[in-house]
Amino acid sequence: MTTQALLQVLASGLLMGLIYALIAVGLSLIFGLMDVVNFAHGEFLMIAMYAAFGLVLLTALDPIVLAPLVAALMFCVGGLAYLGVVRFAMRAKANAGMVQIFATFGLAILIQGAAQYLFTPDYRNIQTSWLGGKTFEVGGVFLPLPQIFGGFVSIVAFAGLYLLMTRTDFGKALEATREDQGAVALVGIDRNKVFAIGWGLGAALVGLAGVVLSIFYYIHPQVGSAFALIAYVTVALGGFGSVFGALAAGMIVGVVEAITAIVLPPALKSIGVYALYLGVVFIRPSGLFGRL
Amino acid sequence: MSDAMALTATPAEQAAFAARRIRQLVAAAIVFAAIAAIPLALSDVYLLNVLVLTLMYAAVSQGWNILGGYCGQISLGHALYFGVGAYATSVLFVNYGVTPWAGMLVGGAMSAIIALMLGYLCFRLKGHYFSIATIVIAEIGLLLVHNWDFVGGALGIQWPFGPDSWATLQFARNKLPYVYFALGLLIATWLVTWMIEDSRWGYWWRAVKDNPEAAESLGVEVFRSKMAAAALSAFFTAIGGAFYAAFVSYIDPESVMSFRFSLLFALPAVLGGIGTLWGAVAGAFILIPLTEITRSYLGGSGSGLDLVIYGALVMVVALARPEGLTSLAPRARKGAAS
């Protein structure tokens, strides 16, 4: 393998990894906030991709421009999912963990069915983006522009998230709620509001990822499932609840997947990621950066 | 029998407990006899197929329940064991002419061994880490089978057409034998669960589920408990897979190992009530006919409406009855084996 080929694999793996991190970070954020794994996370991604697709048809604008709008829309979807479903799952006295899992799984199946009903099972793609199909070449390494854009959006989103969590009152409320749900009520923080906004934020982040993906990936009702498992693995690898862990793990997952795709038949490209994940959690049961 | 009871219960309490155990058996006899009588009133092939699937999912979910419901380890990867059972039976029968009766035991034993190996690695993981690891492992199994030509790769395995016979578990025209085989499997899993409820393992598993740290400090061997539950649970799931392969006569990786099966094995128990004797059976009898029939009526054109109903049902039951539908049954639930 030449140096150039190696660079090519690393660069495209890292870019895809940044997008994986962006898909996964909302999941990790929500878990860190309230110990809930959202098994409808992949479906949030799918909704965002359809939203981008629909808005492109509606406005004839470029998906890049529509990203903030889709994120805002997804913020509402996430908030609603919390207020309409998850809030009630939190009340379960018996089998609490199981209720969360199956309530969000039920939501996932429902969303998939609704997408199939409304948009048919057909594969769609956005053909009108400025970035679509263009590549950027540096020193013999070819990188598709949509992925470069995706990596850029991901970095910006992580930087924004970092600032939000460290520099704003909401970030402080989020951190406080993470640490002690009971105590925040005493200082006048409405726990439900923080959770709803947290879910909104998580969904908005995966919404950005959805816009990015919609530029270079097919859109169909099961598209969420394809990315969901990678997202869960990324979150678990980084450590549940760790935002920085999701970023690091996303990049690792992207690179490992790119390398596996060359070494093994393409159909097996996920095997490397899964094996790596299992290897890590067997050594560190709480992931790379997780707190037990 | 119940050494654990003897430490705390008065003779009167013990007698009442024994009487309740007998009542459970009588109730089971009545229920299973009623199920066995269903085909007398039902001659429609489609509905008999739904009944076979319902009984199969009830049995496999009862198997899942041993690990998930009694021992509290939420596996979302049981499709792996189902697939191993289906594939072992199919490969042995199609390639080597081994009767499915033997193949199914081989598949069951293989699954139990795989469950022990995976348990050795996975049972250090807690909560969601464990559940996600089981999803990933099942997915790895699916990918490997997909790319393994010896077991038919992506194409799968087609069972040869032969005369109807109990020896090969092939019945082309008459579906009744499948009903009785699936019912037999359900009765077997139910009886094992019933025996477990008042055995040392049963008490250990419930202790592990409720509070592993406390259980450990009281001398329960938590790790060994989980391993035993995993092996037994995997064994029954594999038998279910073997039966399914014989029933549909054609398997490919997606049709026996995909993630939706893992969900379908967990859901009946969750809907009916995990860690209970009748939860998986009640859940399967509600969920499976509902999904099959809505699929036929609404999902035929891939419209997705069936999924909407299925998803809504799962969500509503999980939220409305966290302890499962059997908790609606009007009776006092007290004592160790409730």
Side-chain angles (χ1 to χ4, degrees):
Chain A
M1 199 152 151
T2 63
T3 323
Q4 203 169 32
L6 189 66
L7 275 176
Q8 173 79 52
V9 171
L10 280 180
S12 47
L14 274 177
L15 281 183
M16 204 57 216
L18 282 168
I19 298 172
Y20 286 150
L22 186 59
I23 295 173
V25 67
L27 201 62
S28 206
L29 187 78
I30 290 168
F31 183 87
L33 184 62
M34 53 204 281
D35 284 0
V36 171
V37 173
N38 171 24
F39 278 102
H41 195 73
E43 278 56 44
F44 283 9
L45 180 76
M46 182 259 290
I47 295 175
M49 288 172 80
Y50 272 108
F53 178 77
L55 285 169
V56 167
L57 286 185
L58 207 66
T59 61
L61 291 169
D62 198 272
I64 304 170
V65 184
L66 294 166
L69 188 58
V70 173
L73 203 76
M74 290 310 295
F75 184 90
C76 302
V77 170
L80 281 175
Y82 171 74
L83 294 172
V85 179
V86 184
R87 186 159 54 109
F88 301 103
M90 306 283 288
R91 291 183 190 165
K93 299 268 182 295
N95 312 327
M98 205 153 322
V99 171
Q100 287 169 22
I101 291 177
F102 291 102
T104 52
F105 258 129
L107 180 65
I109 296 166
L110 189 149
I111 294 173
Q112 262 193 39
Q116 210 165 306
Y117 180 66
L118 295 170
F119 311 120
T120 73
D122 296 347
Y123 281 52
R124 302 170 190 284
N125 62 347
I126 295 176
Q127 292 163 334
T128 55
S129 179
W130 299 321
L131 301 172
K134 292 182 185 147
T135 50
F136 174 78
E137 189 220 343
V138 58
V141 175
F142 291 86
L143 294 171
L145 269 183
Q147 272 92 324
I148 292 179
F149 171 69
F152 171 75
V153 168
S154 175
I155 290 167
V156 170
F158 270 95
L161 187 63
Y162 175 77
L163 291 175
L164 181 86
M165 291 182 72
T166 52
R167 303 282 162 86
T168 65
D169 282 350
F170 172 72
K172 290 192 182 104
L174 208 67
E175 187 54 39
T177 312
R178 273 172 87 123
E179 279 173 24
D180 192 337
Q181 291 188 17
V184 290
L186 300 175
V187 294
I189 295 174
D190 179 357
R191 199 178 58 178
N192 248 331
K193 206 153 117 189
V194 174
F195 284 162
I197 295 174
W199 272 76
L201 199 57
L205 288 160
V206 81
L208 287 177
V211 176
V212 165
L213 275 180
S214 70
I215 301 172
F216 65 92
Y217 207 87
Y218 283 99
I219 305 162
H220 57 103
Q222 276 76 43
V223 71
S225 323
F227 286 97
L229 190 53
I230 293 282
Y232 298 129
V233 167
T234 304
V235 170
L237 184 65
F240 274 103
S242 164
V243 168
F244 172 69
L247 179 60
M251 292 197 278
I252 294 170
V253 164
V255 171
V256 169
E257 189 185 68
I259 293 172
T260 317
I262 291 178
V263 179
L264 294 175
L268 291 174
K269 70 173 185 174
S270 304
I271 286 246
V273 173
Y274 298 157
L276 167 86
Y277 158 77
L278 292 176
V280 170
V281 290
F282 293 149
I283 298 163
R284 275 188 64 89
S286 55
L288 292 170
F289 304 94
R291 305 168 297 187
L292 262 184
Chain B
M1 222 359 217
S2 43
D3 314 332
M5 295 287 299
L7 298 173
T8 51
T10 63
E13 279 172 335
Q14 282 193 49
F17 179 75
R20 203 175 78 229
R21 298 271 299 157
I22 299 301
R23 273 205 307 279
Q24 288 171 342
L25 274 186
V26 172
I30 294 167
V31 169
F32 291 132
I35 294 173
I38 292 177
L40 300 176
L42 203 77
S43 55
D44 184 78
V45 172
Y46 169 74
L47 289 176
L48 278 182
N49 267 339
V50 172
L51 179 62
V52 171
L53 287 174
T54 302
L55 292 169
M56 182 199 84
Y57 281 114
V60 175
S61 192
Q62 190 85 345
W64 179 91
N65 197 23
I66 290 170
L67 180 62
Y70 284 94
C71 197
Q73 306 303 305
I74 307 300
S75 159
L76 293 171
H78 260 49
L80 174 71
Y81 305 128
F82 193 76
V84 168
Y87 266 98
T89 311
S90 301
V91 169
L92 285 170
F93 177 64
V94 177
N95 297 3
Y96 304 102
V98 178
T99 168
W101 293 92
M104 116 181 9
L105 292 177
V106 172
M110 277 171 67
S111 274
I113 290 165
I114 292 171
L116 290 175
M117 292 189 325
L118 294 176
Y120 184 78
L121 295 168
C122 280
F123 282 136
R124 296 167 48 233
L125 304 175
K126 290 190 177 67
H128 296 303
Y129 286 96
F130 175 79
S131 298
I132 287 173
T134 58
I135 300 178
V136 168
I137 288 169
E139 203 62 26
I140 291 176
L142 175 67
L143 285 172
L144 291 178
V145 168
H146 224 290
N147 291 276
W148 190 16
D149 292 334
F150 175 68
V151 296
L155 292 174
I157 300 174
Q158 171 72 54
W159 285 43
F161 291 107
D164 286 13
S165 140
W166 273 101
T168 58
L169 280 183
Q170 290 299 290
F171 304 98
R173 275 161 220 83
N174 182 2
K175 297 292 169 196
L176 269 185
Y178 289 125
V179 173
Y180 291 121
F181 187 99
L183 180 60
L185 181 59
L186 175 59
I187 292 172
T189 51
W190 189 92
L191 273 178
V192 168
T193 314
W194 180 84
M195 289 192 294
I196 284 166
E197 283 221 326
D198 189 33
S199 72
R200 169 194 279 197
W201 283 117
Y203 290 105
W204 276 17
W205 290 342
R206 283 187 289 252
V208 169
K209 177 188 169 182
D210 290 338
N211 191 333
E213 288 80 13
E216 189 84 61
S217 70
L218 290 170
V220 172
E221 295 180 42
V222 172
F223 182 71
R224 265 186 60 202
S225 298
K226 290 179 180 178
M227 293 285 266
L232 191 59
S233 179
F235 176 82
F236 281 127
T237 307
I239 303 282
F243 166 74
Y244 185 74
F247 176 57
V248 295
S249 305
Y250 167 73
I251 60 166
D252 66 30
E254 269 69 29
S255 72
V256 290
M257 275 178 115
S258 64
F259 175 70
R260 64 191 177 88
F261 281 97
S262 295
L263 261 189
L264 272 174
F265 301 150
L267 278 173
V270 171
L271 292 180
I274 56 162
T276 62
L277 271 180
W278 289 106
V281 184
F285 266 86
I286 293 162
L287 183 77
I288 306 302
L290 199 94
T291 50
E292 287 297 322
I293 289 165
T294 49
R295 184 173 17 190
S296 321
Y297 280 93
L298 298 170
S301 53
S303 80
L305 270 183
D306 56 320
L307 291 178
V308 173
I309 291 174
Y310 173 42
L313 177 92
V314 170
M315 204 163 70
V316 168
V317 174
L319 293 177
R321 300 299 308 173
E323 42 303 269
L325 293 170
T326 46
S327 64
L328 296 168
R331 73 188 127 142
R333 305 188 129 271
K334 285 190 303 221
S338 63

